[in-house]
Short mmCIF file of all heavy atoms in Angstrom, two decimals:
data_model
loop_
_atom_site.label_atom_id
_atom_site.label_comp_id
_atom_site.label_asym_id
_atom_site.label_seq_id
_atom_site.Cartn_x
_atom_site.Cartn_y
_atom_site.Cartn_z
N THR A 1007 -50.61 26.57 112.24
CA THR A 1007 -49.76 25.37 112.33
C THR A 1007 -48.71 25.37 111.22
O THR A 1007 -47.59 24.93 111.44
CB THR A 1007 -50.58 24.06 112.30
OG1 THR A 1007 -51.31 24.01 111.09
CG2 THR A 1007 -51.52 23.96 113.47
N THR A 1010 -45.81 27.53 112.44
CA THR A 1010 -45.05 26.85 113.50
C THR A 1010 -44.20 25.74 112.90
O THR A 1010 -43.01 25.60 113.22
CB THR A 1010 -46.03 26.26 114.56
OG1 THR A 1010 -46.82 27.33 115.08
CG2 THR A 1010 -45.28 25.57 115.68
N LEU A 1011 -44.78 24.98 112.01
CA LEU A 1011 -44.03 23.87 111.39
C LEU A 1011 -42.89 24.40 110.52
O LEU A 1011 -41.81 23.79 110.48
CB LEU A 1011 -44.97 22.99 110.56
CG LEU A 1011 -45.86 22.07 111.40
CD1 LEU A 1011 -46.95 21.44 110.55
CD2 LEU A 1011 -45.02 20.99 112.08
N TYR A 1014 -39.85 24.82 112.64
CA TYR A 1014 -39.13 23.56 112.92
C TYR A 1014 -38.38 23.08 111.68
O TYR A 1014 -37.26 22.59 111.77
CB TYR A 1014 -40.09 22.49 113.43
CG TYR A 1014 -40.49 22.70 114.88
CD1 TYR A 1014 -41.77 23.10 115.22
CD2 TYR A 1014 -39.57 22.51 115.91
CE1 TYR A 1014 -42.13 23.30 116.55
CE2 TYR A 1014 -39.91 22.71 117.23
CZ TYR A 1014 -41.20 23.10 117.55
OH TYR A 1014 -41.54 23.29 118.86
N PHE A 1021 -32.24 21.90 116.13
CA PHE A 1021 -33.12 21.32 117.15
C PHE A 1021 -32.60 19.94 117.56
O PHE A 1021 -32.56 19.60 118.74
CB PHE A 1021 -34.56 21.20 116.60
CG PHE A 1021 -35.54 20.69 117.63
CD1 PHE A 1021 -36.21 21.57 118.48
CD2 PHE A 1021 -35.77 19.33 117.78
CE1 PHE A 1021 -37.09 21.09 119.45
CE2 PHE A 1021 -36.64 18.85 118.74
CZ PHE A 1021 -37.31 19.73 119.57
N THR A 1025 -31.38 18.97 121.40
CA THR A 1025 -32.32 18.19 122.24
C THR A 1025 -31.99 16.70 122.32
O THR A 1025 -32.62 15.97 123.09
CB THR A 1025 -33.77 18.32 121.72
OG1 THR A 1025 -33.81 17.85 120.36
CG2 THR A 1025 -34.26 19.76 121.80
N ASP A 1051 -45.56 8.01 118.94
CA ASP A 1051 -44.84 9.19 119.43
C ASP A 1051 -45.34 10.38 118.63
O ASP A 1051 -44.95 10.59 117.47
CB ASP A 1051 -43.32 8.99 119.27
CG ASP A 1051 -42.51 10.10 119.93
OD1 ASP A 1051 -43.11 11.15 120.26
OD2 ASP A 1051 -41.30 9.92 120.10
N GLY A 1053 -45.64 13.98 117.43
CA GLY A 1053 -44.70 15.11 117.39
C GLY A 1053 -43.33 14.61 117.78
O GLY A 1053 -42.69 15.15 118.68
N CYS A 1054 -42.89 13.58 117.09
CA CYS A 1054 -41.67 12.84 117.49
C CYS A 1054 -40.40 13.62 117.22
O CYS A 1054 -39.33 13.24 117.72
CB CYS A 1054 -41.61 11.50 116.77
SG CYS A 1054 -41.53 11.66 114.97
N GLY A 1055 -40.49 14.75 116.46
CA GLY A 1055 -39.26 15.48 116.13
C GLY A 1055 -38.28 14.55 115.43
O GLY A 1055 -38.67 13.66 114.67
N ARG A 1058 -35.50 11.02 118.85
CA ARG A 1058 -34.79 10.59 120.07
C ARG A 1058 -35.59 9.53 120.85
O ARG A 1058 -35.06 8.47 121.19
CB ARG A 1058 -34.54 11.83 120.95
CG ARG A 1058 -33.87 11.55 122.28
CD ARG A 1058 -34.05 12.76 123.22
NE ARG A 1058 -35.45 12.99 123.50
CZ ARG A 1058 -36.03 14.19 123.59
NH1 ARG A 1058 -35.32 15.28 123.43
NH2 ARG A 1058 -37.34 14.30 123.82
N ASP A 1059 -36.86 9.82 121.12
CA ASP A 1059 -37.64 8.93 121.99
C ASP A 1059 -38.14 7.68 121.25
O ASP A 1059 -38.30 6.62 121.85
CB ASP A 1059 -38.78 9.71 122.64
CG ASP A 1059 -38.25 10.93 123.39
OD1 ASP A 1059 -37.12 10.84 123.93
OD2 ASP A 1059 -38.92 11.97 123.40
N LEU A 1073 -44.90 10.29 114.47
CA LEU A 1073 -45.75 11.16 113.65
C LEU A 1073 -45.25 12.58 113.83
O LEU A 1073 -45.03 13.03 114.97
CB LEU A 1073 -47.20 11.03 114.11
CG LEU A 1073 -48.28 11.80 113.32
CD1 LEU A 1073 -49.63 11.08 113.43
CD2 LEU A 1073 -48.41 13.26 113.74
N ASP A 1074 -45.06 13.28 112.72
CA ASP A 1074 -44.67 14.69 112.81
C ASP A 1074 -45.13 15.44 111.55
O ASP A 1074 -45.27 14.83 110.48
CB ASP A 1074 -43.15 14.83 112.98
CG ASP A 1074 -42.78 16.10 113.73
OD1 ASP A 1074 -42.74 17.17 113.08
OD2 ASP A 1074 -42.57 16.04 114.95
N GLY A 1075 -45.32 16.74 111.70
CA GLY A 1075 -45.77 17.56 110.58
C GLY A 1075 -44.62 18.16 109.79
O GLY A 1075 -44.85 18.76 108.75
N SER A 1076 -43.40 18.03 110.30
CA SER A 1076 -42.23 18.55 109.58
C SER A 1076 -41.61 17.43 108.75
O SER A 1076 -41.18 16.41 109.30
CB SER A 1076 -41.21 19.10 110.59
OG SER A 1076 -39.91 19.04 110.05
N PHE A 1079 -38.11 16.55 109.90
CA PHE A 1079 -38.07 15.71 111.09
C PHE A 1079 -38.47 14.26 110.76
O PHE A 1079 -37.91 13.31 111.32
CB PHE A 1079 -38.99 16.26 112.18
CG PHE A 1079 -38.39 17.36 113.02
CD1 PHE A 1079 -39.21 18.25 113.71
CD2 PHE A 1079 -37.02 17.50 113.14
CE1 PHE A 1079 -38.67 19.26 114.49
CE2 PHE A 1079 -36.46 18.52 113.92
CZ PHE A 1079 -37.30 19.41 114.59
N GLN A 1094 -47.86 13.71 109.22
CA GLN A 1094 -49.23 14.19 109.38
C GLN A 1094 -49.23 15.46 110.22
O GLN A 1094 -48.36 15.65 111.08
CB GLN A 1094 -50.09 13.14 110.11
CG GLN A 1094 -50.39 11.90 109.30
CD GLN A 1094 -51.45 11.02 109.97
OE1 GLN A 1094 -52.30 11.49 110.73
NE2 GLN A 1094 -51.40 9.74 109.66
N ASP A 1095 -50.25 16.27 109.99
CA ASP A 1095 -50.49 17.49 110.78
C ASP A 1095 -51.47 17.12 111.91
O ASP A 1095 -52.47 16.44 111.66
CB ASP A 1095 -51.12 18.54 109.84
CG ASP A 1095 -51.29 19.90 110.50
OD1 ASP A 1095 -51.51 19.97 111.73
OD2 ASP A 1095 -51.23 20.91 109.77
N PHE A 1096 -51.19 17.61 113.11
CA PHE A 1096 -52.08 17.33 114.25
C PHE A 1096 -53.53 17.72 113.93
O PHE A 1096 -54.47 17.13 114.46
CB PHE A 1096 -51.65 18.12 115.50
CG PHE A 1096 -50.28 17.79 116.02
CD1 PHE A 1096 -49.60 18.71 116.81
CD2 PHE A 1096 -49.68 16.58 115.77
CE1 PHE A 1096 -48.34 18.43 117.32
CE2 PHE A 1096 -48.41 16.28 116.28
CZ PHE A 1096 -47.74 17.22 117.05
N ASN A 1112 -44.76 14.30 123.88
CA ASN A 1112 -43.78 15.04 124.68
C ASN A 1112 -43.50 16.39 124.02
O ASN A 1112 -42.93 16.45 122.93
CB ASN A 1112 -42.47 14.22 124.77
CG ASN A 1112 -41.57 14.74 125.88
OD1 ASN A 1112 -41.90 14.60 127.06
ND2 ASN A 1112 -40.46 15.35 125.51
N ALA A 1113 -43.93 17.45 124.70
CA ALA A 1113 -43.67 18.82 124.21
C ALA A 1113 -44.25 19.05 122.83
O ALA A 1113 -43.62 19.69 121.98
CB ALA A 1113 -42.15 19.10 124.20
N SER A 1114 -45.43 18.52 122.57
CA SER A 1114 -46.00 18.68 121.24
C SER A 1114 -47.43 19.23 121.25
O SER A 1114 -47.76 20.11 120.44
CB SER A 1114 -45.95 17.35 120.46
OG SER A 1114 -46.57 16.31 121.18
N PHE A 1116 -48.92 21.30 123.03
CA PHE A 1116 -49.11 22.73 123.32
C PHE A 1116 -49.09 23.57 122.05
O PHE A 1116 -49.53 24.72 122.06
CB PHE A 1116 -48.06 23.24 124.34
CG PHE A 1116 -46.68 23.47 123.79
CD1 PHE A 1116 -46.25 24.75 123.49
CD2 PHE A 1116 -45.82 22.41 123.58
CE1 PHE A 1116 -44.97 24.98 122.99
CE2 PHE A 1116 -44.54 22.62 123.07
CZ PHE A 1116 -44.12 23.91 122.78
N HIS A 1117 -48.63 23.00 120.95
CA HIS A 1117 -48.65 23.75 119.69
C HIS A 1117 -50.04 23.77 119.04
O HIS A 1117 -50.24 24.47 118.05
CB HIS A 1117 -47.65 23.14 118.70
CG HIS A 1117 -46.22 23.47 119.02
ND1 HIS A 1117 -45.81 24.75 119.29
CD2 HIS A 1117 -45.11 22.70 119.12
CE1 HIS A 1117 -44.50 24.76 119.53
NE2 HIS A 1117 -44.05 23.52 119.44
N ARG A 1157 -43.23 30.45 116.99
CA ARG A 1157 -44.04 29.26 117.26
C ARG A 1157 -45.29 29.62 118.06
O ARG A 1157 -45.21 30.41 119.00
CB ARG A 1157 -43.23 28.22 118.06
CG ARG A 1157 -42.04 27.71 117.30
CD ARG A 1157 -41.28 26.66 118.08
NE ARG A 1157 -40.70 27.19 119.31
CZ ARG A 1157 -40.04 26.45 120.19
NH1 ARG A 1157 -39.90 25.16 120.01
NH2 ARG A 1157 -39.54 27.00 121.28
C1 SAM B 567 -40.96 21.01 120.88
S1 SAM B 567 -40.90 19.84 119.57
C2 SAM B 567 -40.87 18.29 120.49
C3 SAM B 567 -40.22 17.17 119.72
C4 SAM B 567 -40.04 15.87 120.53
N1 SAM B 567 -41.29 15.29 120.94
C5 SAM B 567 -39.15 16.10 121.72
O1 SAM B 567 -39.59 15.88 122.86
O2 SAM B 567 -38.00 16.50 121.52
C6 SAM B 567 -42.56 19.86 118.90
C7 SAM B 567 -42.79 18.90 117.78
O3 SAM B 567 -44.14 18.95 117.36
C8 SAM B 567 -44.18 19.01 115.94
N2 SAM B 567 -45.39 19.76 115.57
C9 SAM B 567 -45.73 21.02 115.94
N3 SAM B 567 -46.91 21.36 115.40
C10 SAM B 567 -47.33 20.29 114.67
C11 SAM B 567 -48.48 20.03 113.86
N4 SAM B 567 -49.45 20.93 113.71
N5 SAM B 567 -48.58 18.81 113.29
C12 SAM B 567 -47.61 17.88 113.43
N6 SAM B 567 -46.49 18.08 114.16
C13 SAM B 567 -46.35 19.27 114.78
C14 SAM B 567 -42.92 19.73 115.54
O4 SAM B 567 -42.55 19.49 114.20
C15 SAM B 567 -41.93 19.18 116.56
O5 SAM B 567 -41.36 17.98 116.12
#
Side-chain angles (χ1 to χ4, degrees):
T1007 60
T1010 302
L1011 284 168
Y1014 283 110
F1021 183 89
T1025 59
D1051 188 346
C1054 62
R1058 177 196 63 219
D1059 304 327
L1073 183 153
D1074 208 279
S1076 153
F1079 277 158
Q1094 290 191 26
D1095 186 329
F1096 298 157
N1112 196 69
S1114 55
F1116 77 101
H1117 285 311
R1157 297 182 296 177

